[in-house]
Amino acid sequence: LRETCAFATPPFPWGMLTATIGIASYAADGDFAAIDDLVRVADRRLYEGKRAGRNVVVSADGATSATRADPLP
């Protein structure tokens, strides 16, 4: 999804379209008492990605995934 946004056309007046995504999963992140707890973990990772420079995916193992997209002509 993040890479699809990076290569979206047409070019937008505000520049490139990017996505920062925080991922949490029940199996990888533990047993949660409520769905709100799982959402809270995903939200925390979303903001970790934004602090890391945006246009990244942050997952359960703390890894980030990012690919710099060249601007389209």
Side-chain angles (χ1 to χ4, degrees):
L1 177 63
R2 187 187 52 76
E3 288 179 2
T4 299
C5 289
F7 293 105
T9 56
F12 301 98
W14 59 84
M16 293 186 59
L17 179 64
T18 63
T20 301
I21 302 167
I23 298 175
S25 78
Y26 182 81
D29 292 310
D31 190 12
F32 295 100
I35 191 69
D36 291 345
D37 297 329
L38 184 64
V39 171
R40 210 170 287 115
V41 170
D43 190 55
R44 185 175 66 237
R45 290 183 180 145
L46 167 68
Y47 285 96
E48 285 175 26
K50 289 184 179 217
R51 282 190 302 274
R54 302 180 184 235
N55 199 28
V56 297
V57 176
V58 181
S59 61
D61 60 5
T64 58
S65 168
T67 303
R68 272 298 216 222
D70 292 327
L72 297 171

